[in-house]
Amino acid sequence: MMKKVFLFLLLPILGVAQQHYLDYQLRLEPVWSRVADALGEPGSVESAEFSPNGKFIVSGTKYDYSVVMWRTSDGAELWRAYHPAEIERVGWSSDNQYVAACSEDFKTTIYEARTGKVVETIQHNQGIDGLIWSNNSMLLATGEEYSYDKGGKKQGFLGIYDMQKRKEVAKINYGSTINELFFTEDDKYIVAIGHAGVKVYNTSNWSLEKELFTESDVIFTAGGFSPDGKWIIAAQNKPVKGTIHLIDWKKGKINKSFSHMGKKIETVSWHPNGEYIAFTGHDPHIFIYRVSDIKDYSVDQIRIAAQVWAGDHAEYIDFNKDGSFLVSAHQNGLIKLWAWMGEDPNLNKNRHKGIKKDQISPDALKK
């Protein structure tokens, strides 16, 4: 017993003291973790994404080649399907009915979300790194890895598929590997982020609307539009690893560029309220920043709003639609669910007020 007490007293000295949270301190609370890549540490989960209604999560793995459907509430595995090659990205249709998974055998497979039944397979000429469904229609966008044309020039195509008509409706040469694709909430624009910079396309005619960072030695790995569509956050990993850019894209103006992690960033996500960004990668933490701090402070003064120990390097993070939960996909084969704990001390008080307004007394119903 004395040994246990002595060890407990020694923990703070050893730097292993428990992390304590204050009320209304911004943080992520761990909920559950599950094995998505059965190989564990030699495996890796490349992608995990919430269904639009938040009730389910789909994941895709690098080494055991599986697509898995999970129930958000308890982490129950609902179905698992296997491919002959790495799953690079997974994504949900806006109606919650289908999931898509792109794999390194040059295919995108469409599953019925409820059953895991394959309903369609799209054949590509290259591997696919980027994939996303539109928000308000049945468009599926895919981003190829680079190849060379007959003249030896590098190319990489953004493909747009109308999943109701079951055909490709646009094919755009982005110029190299596309790592990330993201639609604005109204689907008027799509941004392609990768080895040829940040390029925004108008979805009415698929013309190039704006391009930034198109230098040949620049590589971006992640990013996307803010919920209001006014900003783009983009993670650059060459020539300087771990650089975050906040971009007023319509003006073509970089509001702020900073590199606090100094390591490769694999994934970045806006909180749905537009007030925070979260990112992670080759670091065992998930970092959260206030967007207002990024805008208002000089690079040296930008504060980390929260830094959460996640246990292993992550490949992907995704918030559910209302921002109450976050899922992370890790290189040790796990996916993890986190509850978002915000900074508003009046949150529950204000929600209780809303409930009271909706309550009707039995006496009022008699009138």
Side-chain angles (χ1 to χ4, degrees):
M1 183 66 182
M2 288 299 294
K3 288 182 179 180
K4 290 183 179 179
V5 172
F6 177 75
L7 180 60
F8 177 78
L9 294 173
L10 192 61
L11 284 178
I13 300 172
L14 297 174
V16 214
Q18 286 185 325
Q19 188 171 5
H20 295 286
Y21 293 110
L22 304 174
D23 288 344
Y24 312 113
Q25 177 182 335
L26 182 65
R27 63 192 186 272
L28 295 174
E29 289 281 3
V31 181
W32 54 251
S33 61
R34 295 291 183 271
V35 176
D37 189 320
L39 298 177
E41 187 181 6
S44 182
V45 189
E46 292 294 285
S47 179
E49 187 173 303
F50 282 102
S51 60
N53 62 17
K55 294 181 179 180
F56 304 97
I57 296 167
V58 66
S59 65
T61 62
K62 185 177 183 71
Y63 293 113
D64 81 342
Y65 309 155
S66 64
V67 176
V68 189
M69 183 64 65
W70 312 88
R71 189 164 55 210
T72 304
S73 60
D74 59 1
E77 182 179 322
L78 302 180
W79 56 261
R80 182 179 293 246
Y82 287 95
H83 283 257
E86 169 191 350
I87 307 298
E88 185 65 37
R89 185 60 56 88
V90 291
W92 283 85
S93 63
S94 58
D95 60 3
N96 300 286
Q97 299 301 306
Y98 302 99
V99 292
C102 56
S103 48
E104 288 294 340
D105 57 354
F106 299 3
K107 293 178 182 177
T108 297
T109 305
I110 313 298
Y111 295 92
E112 186 178 69
R114 183 176 60 86
T115 64
K117 177 184 176 182
V118 175
V119 295
E120 188 169 353
T121 301
I122 301 171
Q123 184 67 52
H124 305 281
N125 296 319
Q126 290 293 125
I128 300 295
D129 277 2
L131 179 145
I132 195 167
W133 295 78
S134 58
N135 296 296
N136 303 315
S137 59
M138 287 290 286
L139 293 180
L140 177 66
T142 61
E144 285 186 358
E145 297 173 347
Y146 77 87
S147 60
Y148 293 96
D149 62 20
K150 293 180 180 179
K153 188 177 180 180
K154 192 175 284 188
Q155 59 185 4
F157 289 94
L158 164 61
I160 307 294
Y161 299 85
D162 186 321
M163 300 307 294
Q164 291 178 320
K165 297 178 181 179
R166 302 292 178 95
K167 69 175 186 178
E168 185 178 71
V169 294
K171 190 171 184 178
I172 306 158
N173 187 2
Y174 162 83
S176 190
T177 296
I178 300 172
N179 285 323
E180 189 76 272
L181 294 166
F182 208 93
F183 282 98
T184 51
E185 196 69 29
D186 57 11
D187 289 335
K188 290 183 178 180
Y189 302 97
I190 185 172
V191 62
I193 295 171
H195 296 201
V198 177
K199 297 185 180 183
V200 178
Y201 299 92
N202 189 316
T203 61
S204 64
N205 56 13
W206 305 109
S207 61
L208 180 64
E209 190 83 11
K210 191 74 67 174
E211 58 181 347
L212 301 103
F213 302 102
T214 56
E215 299 86 355
S216 59
D217 63 340
V218 172
I219 290 179
F220 285 82
T221 49
F225 288 110
S226 59
D228 61 9
K230 294 180 179 179
W231 302 88
I232 289 174
I233 202 80
Q236 179 185 344
N237 286 293
K238 187 180 178 183
V240 180
K241 286 185 178 180
T243 302
I244 291 287
H245 301 281
L246 180 65
I247 305 165
D248 184 339
W249 71 269
K250 287 189 176 180
K251 293 180 179 179
K253 178 183 177 182
I254 301 165
N255 177 275
K256 197 67 58 66
S257 300
F258 65 97
S259 180
H260 284 182
M261 195 168 89
K263 298 177 182 178
K264 184 179 181 182
I265 296 173
E266 292 281 4
T267 176
V268 59
S269 184
W270 287 87
H271 189 276
N273 66 15
E275 297 177 6
Y276 305 90
I277 61 161
F279 64 84
T280 186
H282 291 187
D283 188 284
H285 296 89
I286 297 172
F287 296 88
I288 302 169
Y289 284 75
R290 299 179 190 88
V291 176
S292 59
D293 288 351
I294 297 173
K295 292 178 180 178
D296 295 343
Y297 296 116
S298 64
V299 171
D300 291 341
Q301 301 301 318
I302 298 173
R303 302 167 294 187
I304 298 175
Q307 181 176 330
V308 182
W309 176 265
D312 193 29
H313 299 176
E315 292 286 339
Y316 203 77
I317 55 174
D318 183 49
F319 283 103
N320 67 345
K321 193 170 184 177
D322 66 5
S324 55
F325 292 94
L326 178 138
V327 64
S328 55
H330 297 270
Q331 291 182 9
N332 61 4
L334 300 181
I335 64 168
K336 298 186 177 186
L337 181 70
W338 309 82
W340 173 268
M341 304 298 291
E343 299 178 285
D344 181 4
N346 291 317
L347 178 65
N348 285 319
K349 180 181 178 181
N350 292 335
R351 288 183 66 82
H352 290 161
K353 287 181 181 178
I355 291 173
K356 287 182 179 179
K357 289 180 181 178
D358 294 335
Q359 289 176 336
I360 302 174
S361 70
D363 292 337
L365 292 172
K366 294 176 183 178
K367 295 178 181 179

